[in-house]
Amino acid sequence: MERTISSEKVGAKIVEWYSCLISKSYEQAILLKNEVKQLISSIDPNDKLTAYYSLVHFKYNILVSRYNKNKCSQKIDPFDEITKIDDMLKYLYYFVSGQYEFTQERYLSAVKMFRKAERLLEYVNDEAEEAEFYQYNGLVYYRLNQYLVASSYIEQAKLIFDRLQYKEPSINCQIVLAGIHQELKNTEKGEKILKEALGQAIDIPIVYAQVLRTLGLNKQAQQKYAEAEIYFKQALEYPEHKDTIFGVKNKLQFSQRPF
């Protein structure tokens, strides 16, 4: 490929790739990843473009590992001269670092990174990026059992995802909200949310199966074990779910069930 491609065009293509990661357009993200890799190799990128590519590539790896049996094990390279990078890249660095800490189940460390990112959120001129920031904050507070804070962040994220018509991220928010209601012993409300999500996820098999699994957990919390087993088995009927980390957890449910 001739070196006639501008760094601006490559940067625009990375932005497009990044947008696919936020919307969870998995197949398109894979195609764009390969396209961006070819474009990057065809030019002499500047430090800013290289940093941006590295951060988005790391974020891509987090998405790819999301449903894998193994957690994301790649470490993010620190920027030795972070103060020389513009504010948007600083934000992305802290946010992606927080995402990595979250995948490693180091939730307090993730909170610290997200707080640093939040100070720079005003430099983010993208609603989808803002929504994902709220979503991850909700997730980390959910893991820390701070359910009211988690619910506030997740509801903000869902509102934006719905406005942008980002279906999968919106459904993922519903799953978390249902989980929060379940933890707060409001299983009926959680079940209602999940059944609404199930209807919306019908054309996304891997998400549909995840909703089925969560319905199973909801029934298990109510000690309705026979109904829970039905949902778990239905989820495992989907190949997209069976071999993921969630599918493995489903199988464990059977081995540990009290019936």
Side-chain angles (χ1 to χ4, degrees):
M1 185 180 294
E2 296 181 1
R3 293 178 176 268
T4 57
I5 300 173
S6 68
S7 58
E8 289 79 11
K9 181 177 179 180
V10 178
K13 186 60 66 173
I14 297 174
V15 170
E16 183 181 353
W17 181 29
Y18 186 62
S19 296
C20 284
L21 299 180
I22 295 175
S23 64
K24 304 299 184 291
S25 301
Y26 182 74
E27 294 180 358
Q28 183 65 17
I30 293 175
L31 293 175
L32 284 170
K33 180 245 184 183
N34 295 329
E35 186 176 350
V36 169
K37 185 177 180 180
Q38 289 182 342
L39 290 173
I40 281 287
S41 66
S42 72
I43 65 170
D44 295 320
N46 54 45
D47 291 342
K48 181 177 177 179
L49 190 62
T50 299
Y52 187 36
Y53 171 76
S54 297
L55 289 168
V56 176
H57 187 270
F58 186 83
K59 189 177 181 69
Y60 168 83
N61 287 336
I62 291 175
L63 175 63
V64 169
S65 67
R66 177 184 172 199
Y67 293 113
N68 286 350
K69 296 177 184 178
N70 298 317
K71 292 185 297 184
C72 177
S73 58
Q74 175 191 349
K75 292 184 178 180
I76 188 168
D77 294 327
F79 289 101
D80 294 331
E81 300 183 6
I82 188 69
T83 55
K84 295 182 181 180
I85 301 173
D86 68 23
D87 291 317
M88 176 59 194
L89 279 180
K90 284 185 190 178
Y91 162 81
L92 189 57
Y93 171 75
Y94 290 128
F95 181 41
V96 173
S97 296
Q99 287 178 292
Y100 174 73
E101 293 301 304
F102 179 84
T103 65
Q104 302 302 301
E105 300 180 1
R106 295 193 287 262
Y107 301 127
L108 291 177
S109 180
V111 167
K112 291 179 182 178
M113 286 297 176
F114 290 153
R115 284 176 179 168
K116 290 181 179 180
E118 192 164 18
R119 299 190 195 108
L120 299 161
L121 193 59
E122 65 182 287
Y123 299 103
V124 177
N125 297 313
D126 187 300
E127 280 194 304
E129 172 68 20
E130 183 181 354
E132 191 181 40
F133 175 79
Y134 292 142
Q135 183 183 27
Y136 262 92
N137 271 272
L139 287 170
V140 75
Y141 282 110
Y142 175 61
R143 296 297 185 187
L144 291 170
N145 302 327
Q146 297 186 34
Y147 301 122
L148 295 180
V149 178
S151 179
S152 176
Y153 275 117
I154 293 295
E155 286 173 353
Q156 289 183 76
K158 186 179 183 304
L159 188 65
I160 299 174
F161 284 138
D162 286 342
R163 185 164 63 245
L164 297 175
Q165 297 184 335
Y166 279 20
K167 183 185 286 189
E168 183 176 341
S170 176
I171 295 171
N172 287 333
C173 287
Q174 287 175 278
I175 292 173
V176 178
L177 288 172
I180 290 171
H181 282 291
Q182 181 177 306
E183 294 293 343
L184 295 175
K185 310 303 181 185
N186 191 355
T187 52
E188 290 184 3
K189 177 64 174 178
E191 184 174 350
K192 181 180 178 181
I193 292 173
L194 289 170
K195 287 186 174 178
E196 290 174 357
L198 198 65
Q200 296 166 9
I202 191 68
D203 58 342
I204 315 175
I206 195 165
V207 180
Y208 189 83
Q210 177 63 10
V211 178
L212 286 171
R213 176 180 182 271
T214 311
L215 276 164
L217 294 173
N218 182 279
K219 290 297 184 182
Q220 192 175 65
Q222 300 177 58
Q223 298 184 349
K224 297 180 179 179
Y225 300 116
E227 293 180 56
E229 185 172 16
I230 291 172
Y231 281 122
F232 291 144
K233 286 183 175 179
Q234 287 178 344
L236 288 171
E237 290 175 1
Y238 288 83
E240 298 89 346
H241 176 80
K242 185 177 180 180
D243 295 327
T244 67
I245 187 171
F246 301 116
V248 172
K249 289 180 178 179
N250 262 7
K251 295 168 187 175
L252 287 174
Q253 299 294 331
F254 296 140
S255 64
Q256 297 174 356
R257 66 188 185 279
F259 48 89

